[in-house]
Amino acid sequence: MVIYNTLTRKKEEFQPVEDGKVKIYFCGMTLQESPHVGHMRAFIFADVMRRYFEYKGYEVTYIQNFTDIDDKVIEKSREEGRDYRVITQEFEREYMEVSDALNIKRPLLFPRATQHIKEIIELIQKLEQKGFAYAVGGDVYFRVRAFKDYGKLSWRNIDELISGARVEVDPKKKDPLDFALWKSAKEGEPYWESPWGKGRPGWHIECSAMSMHYLGETFDIHGGGNDLIFPHHENEIAQSEAATGRTFARYWVHNAMVNIKGDKMSKSLKNFVPVKELLQKYEPDVIRYFLVSSHYRSPIDYSGELLEQAKSSYERIRNFLERGEEEEPLKEDLSEFEHAMDDDFNTSRALAAVFDMIRKGNTEPSLEPRMRGAVRRAMEILGFRLERKKLEGKEFIEILVDVRSELRKRKEWELADLIRERLKEKGVVLEDTKEGTHWRIE
Ligand SMILES: [Zn+2]
């Protein structure tokens, strides 16, 4: 099994730290906005990765955090004039609803930054003792130049970073590259007591502290959207490895973005599609299909047309499953699917393998039940629920109209009229013509 590692920019054979176990930390939501399609792409990718490891027999420990205190959360709280805890609680609830609807398995736990202030403070103190951090007033900064590997994940060197000049100028920093580990509280902001006074953690240190607290100093996989590579993940590596002197995460996996007309879907560009809204229009499986039909490292262009295509492809698979008996598949029936998944979770090729199974079942009737079993197994590994299609109101009316026609043929007038009356009460008007019964909604 190979995984593309952002750190080496190569596909590498997967070797866990501990035999038979996989420890994964994935950066979760900042609780100040509704989850949109771009966010859920990341979490569905992580879910597929996790399910595939489980299918391969690994014991998976999967942790995904919630950032419940940072600049954006405070900004939102100020804008709305409401306590940040109320706001983050609301967005957490919405995230859980959407995530459960999409059949994303829950992590072992969802640590929140505000529950880990103690671990965060201890980590910053360790960095101070080792000379990697310095306090100025109530703020603490990480000394980037002291960490010689800085830039190894994003493949940038320090000189490039300086000429990039997008580093904000802050007179308190000894070097413009340094970043905040702890921020002193301004008037009216939430704060915690610390050795540096009242303040709160910086965003990057939260993830370093929580991931190492639950998974150990060195763990297998750290992931997130590729917009987190720099500076977030670069800074996480610097803080963690400076503090422990050990490798932090062995494999770094990053999914590509969801774009709309060439721009990244994001709150700041106001071009985002909340998943809650999309779920009113599409079944969760269709949304999942849309997001896993591309390989996770390829960008996806969001459009209604592509969603419709995903819907019809997904329905072809479900129709095949609903058409008849199923038998237990043989190991070899899934080998193409596994090859694709073993190659850096290539879900796009894995779905092509599913369509090959369907073709095989369609051309060799004796294999059809076994192919159905194989299709179901493969789709379940990818996290699909494969629920039977729900009866729509229209279809239900048509069934009633058919039954009524049958009753009329048998001259069961009383029952036929009862159906007509009851439908009329619901605004469905029946009209009997020579060609049969028509209906309309009034
Ligand atoms: Zn993070």
Side-chain angles (χ1 to χ4, degrees):
M1 188 174 177
V2 294
I3 299 182
Y4 181 89
N5 191 349
T6 308
L7 205 51
T8 57
R9 291 192 177 170
K10 278 197 220 88
K11 285 183 187 173
E12 293 175 26
E13 188 64 38
F14 178 69
Q15 295 284 358
V17 175
E18 214 179 316
D19 274 350
K21 295 187 177 170
V22 189
K23 295 184 177 169
I24 306 171
Y25 183 90
F26 211 86
C27 288
M29 292 286 296
T30 296
L31 298 172
Q32 51 93 32
E33 61 180 315
S34 292
H36 61 60
V37 180
H39 297 127
M40 297 323 281
R41 179 184 196 187
F43 305 127
I44 284 181
F45 157 59
D47 184 56
V48 168
M49 173 167 72
R50 169 200 186 159
R51 286 171 185 269
Y52 191 63
F53 276 122
E54 286 171 349
Y55 167 71
K56 298 284 264 188
Y58 287 97
E59 187 189 305
V60 179
T61 308
Y62 177 78
I63 306 278
Q64 183 183 314
N65 70 299
F66 282 126
T67 295
D68 61 345
I69 188 76
D70 81 337
D71 294 346
K72 286 178 177 174
V73 170
I74 291 174
E75 176 66 30
K76 180 98 182 162
S77 155
R78 192 178 298 123
E79 263 170 38
E80 297 192 0
R82 296 196 298 155
D83 191 306
Y84 79 100
R85 286 165 289 202
V86 177
I87 293 170
T88 55
Q89 190 61 51
E90 283 174 5
F91 284 114
E92 180 179 320
R93 194 173 306 136
E94 185 180 341
Y95 175 82
M96 298 305 278
E97 279 169 19
V98 162
S99 170
D100 289 350
L102 290 171
N103 202 30
I104 294 172
K105 282 177 98 169
R106 290 198 178 186
L108 176 67
L109 77 162
F110 283 109
R112 281 161 155 262
T114 56
Q115 296 164 337
H116 297 80
I117 301 295
K118 178 175 159 280
E119 289 81 12
I120 292 168
I121 289 174
E122 283 167 5
L123 186 57
I124 298 174
Q125 284 179 309
K126 207 165 170 184
L127 289 168
E128 253 189 329
Q129 284 154 17
K130 292 194 166 188
F132 287 103
Y134 56 91
V136 182
D139 300 310
V140 186
Y141 293 99
F142 185 86
R143 203 189 298 274
V144 165
R145 281 177 194 277
F147 183 68
K148 64 174 176 27
D149 284 340
Y150 195 81
K152 68 176 173 180
L153 181 71
S154 51
W155 291 62
R156 301 175 197 218
N157 62 46
I158 286 192
D159 300 326
E160 273 170 14
L161 286 170
I162 291 174
S163 64
R166 275 190 300 170
V167 189
E168 61 183 289
V169 183
D170 182 339
K172 285 186 282 186
K173 292 183 187 176
K174 291 188 179 161
D175 186 317
L177 289 174
D178 296 348
F179 58 87
L181 298 168
W182 187 264
K183 299 182 177 191
S184 57
K186 297 195 191 86
E187 184 64 35
E189 284 183 355
Y191 63 83
W192 288 263
E193 297 291 346
S194 82
W196 314 284
K198 293 178 164 104
R200 63 188 163 89
W203 173 37
H204 316 301
I205 198 78
E206 298 177 357
C207 282
S208 284
M210 293 188 280
S211 58
M212 291 197 289
H213 180 67
Y214 291 107
L215 301 177
E217 291 177 348
T218 301
F219 57 91
D220 299 296
I221 298 176
H222 194 313
N226 65 11
D227 54 342
L228 297 181
I229 297 174
F230 189 85
H232 186 53
H233 289 165
E234 194 68 66
N235 291 352
E236 274 191 53
I237 293 180
Q239 298 159 160
S240 309
E241 298 192 351
T244 68
R246 295 190 188 165
T247 300
F248 177 42
R250 284 193 172 182
Y251 303 86
W252 287 84
V253 296
H254 294 99
N255 61 278
M257 298 290 103
V258 174
N259 298 321
I260 290 195
K261 296 185 185 110
D263 290 321
K264 170 185 152 187
M265 187 182 282
S266 71
K267 191 186 180 210
S268 49
L269 290 175
K270 297 194 172 71
N271 61 357
F272 61 95
V273 181
V275 178
K276 211 173 162 183
E277 263 171 43
L278 204 58
L279 280 165
Q280 316 250 320
K281 234 176 123 186
Y282 290 99
E283 286 176 75
D285 271 1
V286 169
I287 300 173
R288 183 177 277 259
Y289 191 96
F290 171 70
L291 292 173
V292 303
S293 57
S294 301
H295 184 236
Y296 74 92
R297 284 191 287 116
S298 312
I300 293 181
D301 282 306
Y302 178 90
S303 75
E305 201 183 320
L306 287 175
L307 259 165
E308 285 299 319
Q309 275 176 28
K311 184 176 176 213
S312 77
S313 301
Y314 170 73
E315 283 176 350
R316 268 173 65 204
I317 297 173
R318 185 167 52 191
N319 291 343
F320 177 73
L321 288 174
E322 290 183 356
R323 221 165 52 208
E325 301 267 297
E326 261 174 53
E327 267 174 27
E328 192 63 21
L330 301 180
K331 182 121 184 63
E332 68 197 52
D333 297 333
L334 284 144
S335 64
E336 266 311 299
F337 172 84
E338 282 192 35
H339 276 309
M341 291 298 285
D342 282 345
D343 182 10
D344 191 30
F345 310 104
N346 196 325
T347 49
S348 150
R349 257 174 50 211
L351 284 170
V354 167
F355 280 103
D356 281 341
M357 298 170 196
I358 295 177
R359 251 187 303 280
K360 207 165 163 189
N362 285 338
T363 45
E364 292 180 56
S366 64
L367 289 179
E368 206 182 315
R370 215 176 85 200
M371 288 304 124
R372 251 195 285 282
V375 168
R376 183 175 299 278
R377 180 74 50 83
M379 292 296 279
E380 281 172 356
I381 295 166
L382 295 176
F384 290 94
R385 273 209 195 90
L386 305 167
E387 276 164 355
R388 280 190 164 272
K389 196 164 188 265
K390 279 201 192 93
L391 195 59
E392 285 174 11
K394 193 164 98 9
E395 293 167 314
F396 197 66
I397 294 169
E398 272 155 16
I399 291 172
L400 283 172
V401 169
D402 282 351
V403 172
R404 179 172 167 274
S405 302
E406 195 54 41
L407 289 169
R408 279 161 56 88
K409 269 190 220 156
R410 297 178 188 188
K411 303 197 188 318
E412 303 260 12
W413 309 115
E414 222 171 293
L415 274 179
D417 288 347
L418 180 64
I419 292 176
R420 178 213 286 275
E421 287 313 307
R422 295 299 294 272
L423 282 173
K424 199 177 170 196
E425 284 166 24
K426 298 286 173 199
V428 181
V429 177
L430 304 190
E431 202 181 314
D432 297 313
T433 69
K434 270 181 238 158
E435 296 87 46
T437 305
H438 298 301
W439 62 270
R440 62 173 195 278
I441 293 173
E442 286 207 326

